CSV table of all heavy atoms in Angstrom, one decimal:
chain,number,residue,atom,x,y,z
A,148,GLY,N,-11.5,200.2,101.6
A,148,GLY,CA,-10.2,199.8,101.1
A,148,GLY,C,-9.3,200.8,100.5
A,148,GLY,O,-8.3,200.6,100.0
A,149,SER,N,-9.8,202.1,100.5
A,149,SER,CA,-9.1,203.2,99.8
A,149,SER,C,-8.1,203.9,100.7
A,149,SER,O,-7.4,204.8,100.3
A,149,SER,CB,-10.1,204.2,99.2
A,149,SER,OG,-10.8,204.8,100.3
A,150,LYS,N,-8.0,203.5,101.9
A,150,LYS,CA,-7.1,204.2,102.9
A,150,LYS,C,-5.7,203.9,102.5
A,150,LYS,O,-5.3,202.7,102.3
A,150,LYS,CB,-7.4,203.7,104.3
A,150,LYS,CG,-6.5,204.4,105.3
A,150,LYS,CD,-6.9,203.9,106.7
A,150,LYS,CE,-6.0,204.7,107.8
A,150,LYS,NZ,-6.3,204.2,109.2
A,151,LEU,N,-4.9,204.9,102.4
A,151,LEU,CA,-3.5,204.8,102.0
A,151,LEU,C,-2.7,204.1,103.1
A,151,LEU,O,-2.9,204.4,104.3
A,151,LEU,CB,-2.9,206.1,101.6
A,151,LEU,CG,-3.4,206.8,100.3
A,151,LEU,CD1,-2.8,208.2,100.2
A,151,LEU,CD2,-3.2,205.9,99.1
A,152,PRO,N,-1.7,203.3,102.8
A,152,PRO,CA,-0.8,202.7,103.8
A,152,PRO,C,0.1,203.8,104.4
A,152,PRO,O,0.3,204.9,103.9
A,152,PRO,CB,0.0,201.7,103.1
A,152,PRO,CG,0.0,202.2,101.6
A,152,PRO,CD,-1.3,202.8,101.4
A,153,HIS,N,0.6,203.5,105.6
A,153,HIS,CA,1.5,204.4,106.3
A,153,HIS,C,2.8,204.6,105.5
A,153,HIS,O,3.2,203.7,104.7
A,153,HIS,CB,1.9,203.9,107.7
A,153,HIS,CG,0.7,203.8,108.6
A,153,HIS,ND1,0.0,205.0,109.0
A,153,HIS,CD2,0.0,202.8,109.2
A,153,HIS,CE1,-1.0,204.6,109.8
A,153,HIS,NE2,-1.0,203.3,109.9
A,154,ARG,N,3.4,205.7,105.6
A,154,ARG,CA,4.7,206.0,104.9
A,154,ARG,C,5.7,204.9,105.3
A,154,ARG,O,5.9,204.6,106.5
A,154,ARG,CB,5.2,207.4,105.2
A,154,ARG,CG,4.4,208.5,104.6
A,154,ARG,CD,5.0,209.9,104.9
A,154,ARG,NE,4.2,210.9,104.3
A,154,ARG,CZ,3.2,211.5,104.8
A,154,ARG,NH1,2.7,211.1,106.0
A,154,ARG,NH2,2.6,212.5,104.1
A,155,PHE,N,6.5,204.5,104.3
A,155,PHE,CA,7.6,203.5,104.5
A,155,PHE,C,7.1,202.2,105.1
A,155,PHE,O,7.8,201.6,105.9
A,155,PHE,CB,8.7,204.1,105.4
A,155,PHE,CG,9.3,205.4,104.8
A,155,PHE,CD1,9.0,206.6,105.4
A,155,PHE,CD2,10.1,205.4,103.7
A,155,PHE,CE1,9.6,207.8,104.9
A,155,PHE,CE2,10.6,206.5,103.2
A,155,PHE,CZ,10.4,207.7,103.8
A,156,SER,N,5.8,201.9,104.8
A,156,SER,CA,5.2,200.7,105.4
A,156,SER,C,6.0,199.4,105.1
A,156,SER,O,6.1,198.5,105.9
A,156,SER,CB,3.8,200.6,105.0
A,156,SER,OG,3.6,200.5,103.6
A,157,MET,N,6.5,199.4,103.9
A,157,MET,CA,7.2,198.1,103.5
A,157,MET,C,8.5,198.0,104.3
A,157,MET,O,8.8,197.0,104.9
A,157,MET,CB,7.6,198.2,102.0
A,157,MET,CG,8.3,196.9,101.5
A,157,MET,SD,8.8,196.9,99.8
A,157,MET,CE,10.2,198.0,100.0
A,158,VAL,N,9.3,199.1,104.4
A,158,VAL,CA,10.5,199.1,105.2
A,158,VAL,C,10.2,198.8,106.6
A,158,VAL,O,11.0,198.0,107.3
A,158,VAL,CB,11.3,200.4,105.0
A,158,VAL,CG1,12.6,200.4,105.9
A,158,VAL,CG2,11.7,200.6,103.6
A,159,ARG,N,9.2,199.4,107.2
A,159,ARG,CA,8.8,199.2,108.6
A,159,ARG,C,8.4,197.7,108.9
A,159,ARG,O,8.4,197.3,110.0
A,159,ARG,CB,7.7,200.1,109.0
A,159,ARG,CG,8.2,201.6,109.1
A,159,ARG,CD,7.1,202.6,109.1
A,159,ARG,NE,6.3,202.4,110.3
A,159,ARG,CZ,5.2,203.1,110.5
A,159,ARG,NH1,4.8,204.1,109.6
A,159,ARG,NH2,4.5,203.0,111.6
A,160,SER,N,8.0,197.0,107.8
A,160,SER,CA,7.6,195.6,108.0
A,160,SER,C,8.7,194.7,107.9
A,160,SER,O,8.6,193.5,108.2
A,160,SER,CB,6.6,195.2,106.9
A,160,SER,OG,7.2,195.2,105.6
A,161,PHE,N,9.9,195.2,107.6
A,161,PHE,CA,11.1,194.3,107.5
A,161,PHE,C,11.5,193.8,108.9
A,161,PHE,O,11.5,194.5,109.8
A,161,PHE,CB,12.3,195.0,106.9
A,161,PHE,CG,12.3,195.1,105.4
A,161,PHE,CD1,11.3,194.6,104.6
A,161,PHE,CD2,13.3,195.8,104.7
A,161,PHE,CE1,11.3,194.7,103.2
A,161,PHE,CE2,13.3,195.8,103.3
A,161,PHE,CZ,12.3,195.3,102.6
A,162,GLN,N,11.9,192.5,108.9
A,162,GLN,CA,12.5,191.9,110.1
A,162,GLN,C,14.0,192.2,110.0
A,162,GLN,O,14.6,192.5,109.0
A,162,GLN,CB,12.2,190.4,110.1
A,162,GLN,CG,10.7,190.1,110.1
A,162,GLN,CD,10.0,190.5,111.3
A,162,GLN,OE1,10.6,190.6,112.4
A,162,GLN,NE2,8.7,190.7,111.2
A,163,LEU,N,14.7,191.9,111.1
A,163,LEU,CA,16.1,192.1,111.2
A,163,LEU,C,16.8,191.3,110.1
A,163,LEU,O,17.8,191.7,109.5
A,163,LEU,CB,16.7,191.8,112.6
A,163,LEU,CG,18.2,191.9,112.8
A,163,LEU,CD1,18.7,193.3,112.5
A,163,LEU,CD2,18.6,191.4,114.2
A,164,ALA,N,16.3,190.0,109.9
A,164,ALA,CA,16.9,189.1,109.0
A,164,ALA,C,16.8,189.7,107.5
A,164,ALA,O,17.7,189.4,106.7
A,164,ALA,CB,16.2,187.8,109.0
A,165,ASP,N,15.7,190.4,107.3
A,165,ASP,CA,15.6,191.0,105.9
A,165,ASP,C,16.6,192.1,105.6
A,165,ASP,O,17.1,192.2,104.5
A,165,ASP,CB,14.2,191.6,105.8
A,165,ASP,CG,13.1,190.6,105.9
A,165,ASP,OD1,13.3,189.4,105.5
A,165,ASP,OD2,12.0,191.0,106.4
A,166,PHE,N,17.0,192.8,106.7
A,166,PHE,CA,18.1,193.8,106.5
A,166,PHE,C,19.4,193.1,106.3
A,166,PHE,O,20.2,193.6,105.5
A,166,PHE,CB,18.1,194.8,107.7
A,166,PHE,CG,17.0,195.7,107.7
A,166,PHE,CD1,16.0,195.6,108.7
A,166,PHE,CD2,17.0,196.8,106.9
A,166,PHE,CE1,14.9,196.5,108.7
A,166,PHE,CE2,15.9,197.7,106.9
A,166,PHE,CZ,14.9,197.6,107.9
A,167,VAL,N,19.6,192.0,106.9
A,167,VAL,CA,20.8,191.2,106.7
A,167,VAL,C,20.9,190.7,105.2
A,167,VAL,O,21.9,190.7,104.6
A,167,VAL,CB,20.9,190.1,107.7
A,167,VAL,CG1,22.2,189.2,107.4
A,167,VAL,CG2,21.0,190.6,109.1
A,168,THR,N,19.7,190.3,104.8
A,168,THR,CA,19.6,189.8,103.4
A,168,THR,C,19.9,190.9,102.4
A,168,THR,O,20.6,190.7,101.4
A,168,THR,CB,18.2,189.2,103.1
A,168,THR,OG1,17.9,188.2,104.0
A,168,THR,CG2,18.1,188.7,101.7
A,169,LEU,N,19.4,192.1,102.7
A,169,LEU,CA,19.7,193.3,101.9
A,169,LEU,C,21.2,193.5,101.8
A,169,LEU,O,21.8,194.0,100.8
A,169,LEU,CB,19.0,194.5,102.4
A,169,LEU,CG,17.5,194.6,102.1
A,169,LEU,CD1,16.9,195.8,102.7
A,169,LEU,CD2,17.3,194.6,100.6
A,170,GLY,N,22.0,193.2,102.9
A,170,GLY,CA,23.4,193.3,102.9
A,170,GLY,C,24.0,192.4,101.8
A,170,GLY,O,25.0,192.8,101.1
A,171,ASN,N,23.5,191.2,101.6
A,171,ASN,CA,23.9,190.3,100.5
A,171,ASN,C,23.6,191.0,99.2
A,171,ASN,O,24.5,191.0,98.3
A,171,ASN,CB,23.1,189.0,100.6
A,171,ASN,CG,23.5,188.0,99.6
A,171,ASN,OD1,24.5,188.2,98.9
A,171,ASN,ND2,22.7,187.0,99.5
A,172,GLY,N,22.5,191.6,99.0
A,172,GLY,CA,22.2,192.2,97.7
A,172,GLY,C,23.1,193.4,97.5
A,172,GLY,O,23.5,193.6,96.3
A,173,VAL,N,23.4,194.2,98.5
A,173,VAL,CA,24.3,195.3,98.4
A,173,VAL,C,25.7,194.8,97.9
A,173,VAL,O,26.3,195.4,97.0
A,173,VAL,CB,24.5,196.1,99.7
A,173,VAL,CG1,25.6,197.1,99.6
A,173,VAL,CG2,23.2,196.8,100.0
A,174,CYS,N,26.2,193.7,98.5
A,174,CYS,CA,27.5,193.1,98.0
A,174,CYS,C,27.4,192.8,96.6
A,174,CYS,O,28.4,193.0,95.8
A,174,CYS,CB,27.8,191.9,98.9
A,174,CYS,SG,28.2,192.3,100.6
A,175,GLY,N,26.4,192.2,96.1
A,175,GLY,CA,26.2,191.8,94.7
A,175,GLY,C,26.3,193.0,93.8
A,175,GLY,O,27.0,193.0,92.8
A,176,CYS,N,25.5,194.1,94.2
A,176,CYS,CA,25.5,195.3,93.3
A,176,CYS,C,26.9,195.9,93.3
A,176,CYS,O,27.4,196.4,92.2
A,176,CYS,CB,24.5,196.3,93.9
A,176,CYS,SG,22.8,195.7,93.7
A,177,LEU,N,27.6,196.0,94.4
A,177,LEU,CA,28.9,196.6,94.5
A,177,LEU,C,29.9,195.8,93.7
A,177,LEU,O,30.8,196.3,93.0
A,177,LEU,CB,29.4,196.7,95.9
A,177,LEU,CG,28.7,197.7,96.8
A,177,LEU,CD1,29.2,197.7,98.2
A,177,LEU,CD2,28.9,199.2,96.2
A,178,SER,N,29.8,194.5,93.7
A,178,SER,CA,30.6,193.6,92.9
A,178,SER,C,30.5,193.9,91.4
A,178,SER,O,31.5,194.0,90.7
A,178,SER,CB,30.3,192.1,93.1
A,178,SER,OG,31.2,191.3,92.4
A,179,LEU,N,29.3,194.1,90.9
A,179,LEU,CA,29.0,194.4,89.5
A,179,LEU,C,29.6,195.8,89.2
A,179,LEU,O,30.3,195.9,88.1
A,179,LEU,CB,27.5,194.4,89.3
A,179,LEU,CG,26.8,193.1,89.4
A,179,LEU,CD1,25.3,193.3,89.4
A,179,LEU,CD2,27.1,192.2,88.2
A,180,MET,N,29.4,196.7,90.0
A,180,MET,CA,29.9,198.1,89.7
A,180,MET,C,31.4,198.1,89.8
A,180,MET,O,32.1,198.8,88.9
A,180,MET,CB,29.3,199.1,90.7
A,180,MET,CG,27.8,199.2,90.6
A,180,MET,SD,27.1,200.3,91.9
A,180,MET,CE,25.4,200.0,91.6
A,181,PHE,N,32.1,197.5,90.7
A,181,PHE,CA,33.5,197.4,90.8
A,181,PHE,C,34.1,196.7,89.5
A,181,PHE,O,35.1,197.1,89.0
A,181,PHE,CB,34.0,196.7,92.0
A,181,PHE,CG,34.0,197.6,93.3
A,181,PHE,CD1,33.4,197.1,94.5
A,181,PHE,CD2,34.5,198.9,93.3
A,181,PHE,CE1,33.4,197.9,95.6
A,181,PHE,CE2,34.4,199.7,94.4
A,181,PHE,CZ,33.9,199.2,95.6
């Protein structure tokens, strides 16, 4: 169980829908900053 995961394993596990969801989060962050 001590084997390290591959680099960027979380990002590589994202589905296309997850990246679309991140677009929603980006909009929220930009709204706060603006």
Side-chain angles (χ1 to χ4, degrees):
S149 64
K150 185 179 180 181
L151 293 175
H153 296 293
R154 290 182 176 87
F155 304 108
S156 60
M157 185 186 73
V158 176
R159 291 164 63 183
S160 69
F161 279 2
Q162 305 290 333
L163 178 59
D165 298 329
F166 287 105
V167 177
T168 302
L169 284 175
N171 180 13
V173 168
C174 290
C176 291
L177 288 176
S178 179
L179 292 167
M180 294 174 189
F181 281 133

